[in-house]
Amino acid sequence: MNRALLVIDVQDSFRKQPLWQAISNPRIAEDVSRLVDAARAAGDLVIWILHTEPGSNSVFDPASGFIRLIEPLAPADGEPVLTKTSINAFTTTNLQQLLVSRGIGQLTICGIRTEQCCETTARIASDLGYEVTFVIDATATHPIRHRDAPADQSVAELLTDPRTLPAGAVIERTEYALAGRFASIATLAEVTETAILTG
């Protein structure tokens, strides 16, 4: 069965937000790069996905110039780059058609944010019949403010608010929610080691 690596939203847009200082893994691009190298060595297709919000005047607006991969990440020749406007990677792209045309039945998922675009993509992929591996430490996210916290809460206020859900807890909840239901949970070390053995 053919396999693909989905690299989701590892883009400069996030680095341009104040909340980046609270990201769970500041070295996410380097970790994803290791995963990409392993996928290529194993002969897997690497698919790059970028999030856009046209007309939003935000860092996700294509006009901002930040809809680009975080260095050192870069697609190789022939690797598809898809842009989405939905949370998941399927609804507003041709990802499903691409996977079907390549005969791909297994997906490995990494990227930003753990509980948002990555988890949502994993859930839909599972419902569509794909065998999903979620590389938990090759994802990253931020702390989440409490529903009653002010929308304009600063990063400093977010981090000191006792109601804030820490990034580590967000990741842990995603792992519990996906495991055994929508995906197999794996670590970067496990996936890269397997790729070396089977590549």
Side-chain angles (χ1 to χ4, degrees), residues 140-180:
T141 194
H142 306 101
I144 297 178
R145 68 180 179 87
H146 189 269
R147 64 181 180 272
D148 295 330
D152 61 350
Q153 189 177 45
S154 69
V155 175
E157 291 168 338
L158 173 76
L159 295 177
T160 56
D161 187 337
R163 302 170 299 174
T164 294
L165 187 65
V170 176
I171 294 169
E172 182 181 50
R173 281 162 170 76
T174 289
E175 183 173 346
Y176 272 85
L178 291 180

Side-chain angles (χ1 to χ4, degrees), residues 46-63:
V46 179
I47 301 175
W48 304 86
I49 297 151
L50 295 167
H51 184 75
T52 65
E53 297 174 3
S56 65
N57 295 317
S58 73
V59 293
F60 293 99
D61 190 327

Side-chain angles (χ1 to χ4, degrees), residues 79-194:
E79 292 178 349
V81 180
L82 310 180
T83 57
K84 64 181 178 64
T85 56
S86 58
I87 301 266
N88 75 83
F90 285 94
T91 304
T92 56
T93 71
N94 67 339
L95 177 59
Q96 169 70 340
Q97 295 92 326
L98 176 62
L99 296 173
V100 170
S101 70
R102 302 289 184 98
I104 290 168
Q106 297 177 329
L107 297 177
T108 304
I109 291 177
C110 64
I112 305 173
R113 299 174 179 168
T114 309
E115 81 292 353
Q116 195 162 315
C117 297
C118 296
E119 179 178 338
T120 307
T121 298
R123 287 171 178 261
I124 291 179
S126 176
D127 281 350
L128 289 172
Y130 293 98
E131 182 181 319
V132 179
T133 299
F134 196 90
V135 189
I136 194 70
D137 56 349
T139 69
T141 194
H142 306 101
I144 297 178
R145 68 180 179 87
H146 189 269
R147 64 181 180 272
D148 295 330
D152 61 350
Q153 189 177 45
S154 69
V155 175
E157 291 168 338
L158 173 76
L159 295 177
T160 56
D161 187 337
R163 302 170 299 174
T164 294
L165 187 65
V170 176
I171 294 169
E172 182 181 50
R173 281 162 170 76
T174 289
E175 183 173 346
Y176 272 85
L178 291 180
R181 297 180 178 91
F182 301 99
S184 297
I185 304 298
T187 65
L188 178 59
E190 290 168 343
V191 173
T192 54
E193 181 179 330
T194 299

